[in-house]
Amino acid sequence: MLSVIVITKNEAGHIGRCLASVAWADEIVVLDSGSNDDTVAIARQFTDQVFVTDWPGFGPQKQRALDKASHDWVLSLDADEEVGPALAEEIQQAIRQNAIRGFEIPRLSSYCGRPIKHSGWWPDYVLRLFRRDAGRFSNEVVHERVEVQGPIGRLNQPLLHEAFVDPEEVLHKINSYSTLGAEKLFKAGARASLGKAIAKGLWTFSAATCSRPAFSTARKA
């Protein structure tokens, strides 16, 4: 059986499509960190497993969501991701295997509705499907990852990722990731000034989403 976990904050524009795409799952867990839009109300249309808490960072928050999952297999999604019918079928077949403990999924990102399949954006393999007893999220506040003990396989069908709807969302994500990166660097290095940490933190967003050459190309498209 499969649990889907999603963390959210102010994702009213995405969360409905995300959860509708996994309505076939045995359990959906949504962990919100204080949305002031309709995210929670929309999520409750799909599951009664909706929780609201504080924000400790990406890794700790996703681990909290994982701790609330109850089934053997877990699929971790971001609110701006969707599972198409072909991937849904492949996932349901994959979790019947006993030897593999986790699966990487190729992620197909889009910019303003246009899929990006060049300059290193595709295939963007992400480890999102794993056995609950074999996986755990790292503790980083940003650039978190799933750590799985055991063999890892790969699926073929893509996970759809609506990376950026419009330029305003690009700027919002740049600000969010840069702030988190700056805070992480500042806390980690006593010899680094806050200004230097902020400057380096601007690379955090790039490493997460826009560092690839495709970003500048896609932005002009």
Side-chain angles (χ1 to χ4, degrees):
M1 299 181 73
L2 177 71
S3 296
V4 174
I5 60 173
V6 188
I7 65 170
T8 59
K9 183 173 182 180
N10 295 334
E11 294 286 358
H14 295 290
I15 192 62
R17 292 190 298 275
C18 173
L19 299 184
S21 76
V22 290
W24 48 270
D26 301 292
E27 177 184 58
I28 298 175
V29 175
V30 176
L31 188 59
D32 188 80
S33 55
S35 293
N36 54 24
D37 62 6
D38 293 331
T39 298
V40 171
I42 295 171
R44 285 178 174 154
Q45 296 176 18
F46 296 90
T47 176
D48 58 359
Q49 296 282 84
V50 180
F51 306 92
V52 179
T53 183
D54 61 343
W55 174 250
F58 281 98
Q61 191 77 330
K62 288 188 176 182
Q63 183 59 44
R64 286 176 174 178
L66 177 57
D67 290 341
K68 293 182 180 297
S70 59
H71 294 312
D72 292 338
W73 283 88
V74 175
L75 174 64
S76 175
L77 295 178
D78 291 339
D80 58 0
E81 296 173 340
E82 298 177 45
V83 175
L87 177 58
E89 182 177 350
E90 189 176 18
I91 288 172
Q92 291 173 78
Q93 294 175 354
I95 62 178
R96 297 190 182 102
Q97 301 185 36
N98 294 320
I100 305 298
R101 313 304 283 177
F103 290 92
E104 295 181 334
I105 306 174
R107 182 169 58 174
L108 177 59
S109 296
S110 65
Y111 179 85
C112 297
R114 178 176 296 180
I116 306 173
K117 282 193 170 183
H118 50 76
S119 302
W121 278 77
W122 168 263
D124 175 24
Y125 283 99
V126 288
L127 205 170
R128 296 298 188 79
L129 180 64
F130 55 95
R131 287 193 61 90
R132 184 167 56 90
D133 59 0
R136 186 172 183 83
F137 284 94
S138 61
N139 203 43
E140 284 90 355
V141 297
V142 66
H143 299 327
E144 80 292 344
R145 64 190 182 280
V146 181
E147 300 170 337
V148 172
Q149 301 297 318
I152 303 296
R154 278 187 171 179
L155 301 185
N156 297 311
Q157 298 299 323
L159 176 64
L160 305 178
H161 177 219
E162 193 172 32
F164 309 110
V165 176
D166 51 42
E168 182 179 350
E169 185 172 8
V170 175
L171 293 176
H172 173 72
K173 288 189 176 182
I174 288 174
N175 289 334
S176 297
Y177 279 92
S178 297
T179 299
L180 287 170
E183 290 175 351
K184 179 181 177 180
L185 287 168
F186 185 63
K187 291 177 181 178
R191 284 178 286 182
S193 68
L194 179 59
K196 183 177 181 181
I198 292 173
K200 288 187 176 181
L202 290 172
W203 289 101
T204 299
F205 175 77
S206 297
T209 52
C210 297
S211 61
R212 303 159 186 160
F215 177 68
S216 59
T217 302
R219 183 172 54 185
K220 295 175 183 176

